[in-house]
Amino acid sequence: MDVPATPAEISATDLNEVAAAAFAGGTVTEVRCSDIGEGTGIFGQIARLDVTVEGGDGSGSASLVAKMACTEPANLEIAQMLGLYEREINMFEHVLDDTPIRTPVCHAAVRGGDGRFLLLLEDLSVDYEVGDQIVGATLEQAERVVETLAAMHARWWQRPELAAMDWLPIPNAPQYVAAVPNIYRAGLAVLETEWADRVPPAAIDVARAVDPQFEELLHRTAGGPSTLIHSDTRLDNVFFERSGDGIAMIDFQLALQGRAVADIAYLVGTSVPHELGREQWEALLRHWHSAIVELGVSDYGFDDAVRHYREAAMYYLSGAMSLIGTFDAGNDRGAAMAEAYSTRILNHVVDIDARSVL
C-alpha cells in the first residue's frame, strides 16, 4: 500500500488491501472520514473512518480509527528525530499483547516512504468515552488510571527483555539529550516574557532554577528501577468504559523504558485540576505504590517514589515549554489544552516542593 498523506485520502481499496480481517469476510465499498484529533494530537493526524461493508459476516457499517504522521513542520521534525512513529508501530507489534492494559486492536500497521505510516485501529468510542484534559480528571478517574498504569508497570518491572528493545529508548537517549534541553530553553524565554500573568512567580522561579541543571535532571530521571512507561499519560489518551469501570489507553508514540513514577507525575501534574492535584498528589502516589507492591514489586520504597516523583515533575516542565515555545497546537482547543497542561504542571512543581530535590 502506498501510504497517503492524510486520512481523507484513504480509499476503500486501501482498507480491503491491508485490513480485510477487520470486516469479517466482507468488502468495503464506501469510506467516510471525519477528523477526531483536532486539538488533542501534537504529533499525529487522527480520524474516524466510517465504512460501508458488503458481503461476508460484516455486512452493514463499521468504523475504524486511522492514525498518521502529523503535517506541521516543527512537530514533524521533532517526531522524526525522536523516532516516535516507528516506536508506536513496534509497541503494537511486539509489546502491547504482552501488557495487561486495554488498548485498541490494531487491524493494520503500514510503514511508508518519507516517514509516513498508517495505523488502523479499533474505534474505542463504541464502548468508551475519552477523557478531557481541559476539564481535568476527577479523583475517581485519576485513581482508576493509576491502578491501570500500576498493572503495566508491574508487568514489565526490571524485565531484561526491555534492554533488547533498541527501538524503545531510555529517557537520556542521545536523541533526547540533543533535543529536549533546547526545547526547554526556547519555551522558558517565552514563559518569562509572555506568561507572567498566567502562573505564579514561584513557578517561573522553579523553571529558571531548573534551567542550568536541566541536563543533570534529564540524566537523573533515567535512573532505575526501569520498566515500560507510557510517558504521555494525559487524559486525552485515556478512555473510560461507559457501562463499567474499565479503562483503555491509546498513543504509545512516547513510550520509554524508565521510572514508572514518571507516568504518575505526568498524569497528576498535567491532567488533574490544580487544587485537586495539590490536595491529592501524595495519596494518588501512595495508591499507585500500594498497587505495584500488591502485584509483586518489592524493591522500591515509597520515599524513593516521592523523590523520583518530584524529579519527574520538574523534568515534565519541558512538556510545558514545548507547548509554550515550540509546537503548533493546531486550533483553539489545542491552545486550551496546551494552557491547561502548562499551567497545571507549572503550579504543581510549586505545590509539591519539587525544587527541594534539585
Side-chain angles (χ1 to χ4, degrees):
M1 174 184 174
D2 184 14
V3 177
T6 69
E9 299 172 46
I10 298 171
S11 68
T13 300
D14 294 331
L15 296 181
N16 289 323
E17 178 181 347
V18 300
F23 309 114
T27 300
V28 176
T29 59
E30 184 181 0
V31 182
R32 299 169 298 282
C33 178
S34 54
D35 187 356
I36 58 173
E38 283 194 347
T40 61
I42 299 297
F43 293 121
Q45 301 176 78
I46 309 171
R48 178 180 295 108
L49 305 179
D50 292 295
V51 303
T52 300
V53 181
E54 294 183 359
D57 296 328
S59 291
S61 60
S63 61
L64 299 174
V65 169
K67 185 171 185 178
M68 307 176 74
C70 65
T71 57
E72 297 82 3
N75 302 15
L76 182 61
E77 180 181 0
I78 296 295
Q80 292 176 331
M81 179 187 302
L82 299 179
L84 304 188
Y85 303 141
E86 182 67 18
R87 193 183 314 180
E88 184 163 38
I89 291 174
N90 278 318
M91 286 291 291
F92 278 105
E93 291 181 337
H94 304 297
V95 174
L96 294 178
D97 284 346
D98 192 25
T99 302
I101 58 172
R102 175 74 162 90
T103 57
V105 174
C106 182
H107 295 294
V110 185
R111 296 168 173 87
D114 300 325
R116 292 180 181 176
F117 78 100
L118 171 63
L119 286 171
L120 292 173
L121 304 172
E122 172 190 7
D123 181 5
L124 290 173
S125 68
V126 174
D127 298 310
Y128 293 78
E129 183 175 7
V130 68
D132 188 332
Q133 188 173 1
I134 297 173
V135 174
T138 66
L139 179 59
E140 187 267 342
Q141 286 178 325
E143 288 172 341
R144 289 164 62 190
V145 179
V146 162
E147 292 163 5
T148 299
L149 291 169
M152 179 183 75
H153 297 152
R155 178 70 179 90
W156 287 94
W157 195 271
Q158 299 281 58
R159 278 178 60 172
E161 300 98 302
L162 287 172
M165 298 178 188
D166 56 3
W167 52 266
L168 186 66
I170 57 177
N172 63 345
Q175 61 267 41
Y176 281 89
V177 174
V180 181
N182 292 333
I183 291 172
Y184 186 91
R185 290 176 179 121
L188 178 59
V190 179
L191 174 71
E192 292 176 317
T193 57
E194 300 180 19
W195 279 60
D197 60 339
R198 304 191 207 187
V199 295
I204 297 177
D205 287 345
V206 175
R208 288 176 177 144
V210 167
D211 179 10
Q213 301 183 58
F214 187 82
E215 284 82 358
E216 177 191 348
L217 179 65
L218 187 154
H219 290 295
R220 285 167 63 184
T221 61
S226 184
T227 186
L228 174 67
I229 59 175
H230 184 282
S231 295
D232 195 11
T233 51
R234 57 192 179 90
L235 211 59
D236 283 345
N237 289 330
V238 181
F239 282 70
F240 298 90
E241 193 174 25
R242 288 193 176 93
S243 59
D245 59 2
I247 282 179
M249 299 198 70
I250 64 167
D251 198 348
F252 292 87
Q253 291 180 343
L254 295 174
L256 296 170
Q257 43 185 309
R259 282 183 185 153
V261 75
D263 276 346
I264 311 306
Y266 193 100
L267 171 72
V268 180
T270 69
S271 288
V272 173
H274 172 211
E275 298 295 335
L276 183 62
R278 181 172 62 187
E279 295 168 0
Q280 298 293 335
W281 73 271
E282 191 167 354
L284 286 166
L285 182 60
R286 194 173 292 279
H287 189 61
W288 168 83
H289 186 263
S290 297
I292 64 167
V293 169
E294 289 179 7
L295 291 167
V297 174
S298 60
D299 59 348
Y300 191 57
F302 184 71
D303 288 346
D304 288 334
V306 171
R307 184 174 74 257
H308 295 159
Y309 182 102
R310 288 182 168 126
E311 291 177 351
M314 284 191 296
Y315 173 78
Y316 282 129
L317 288 174
S318 60
M321 301 309 163
S322 69
L323 294 169
I324 290 170
T326 302
F327 296 137
D328 181 352
N331 62 4
D332 289 344
R333 191 191 187 281
M337 184 278 290
E339 179 156 355
Y341 176 118
S342 301
T343 55
R344 283 177 187 149
I345 192 64
L346 281 158
N347 276 287
H348 197 57
V349 293
V350 176
D351 295 338
I352 66 173
D353 192 21
R355 192 172 180 175
S356 64
V357 297
L358 273 180

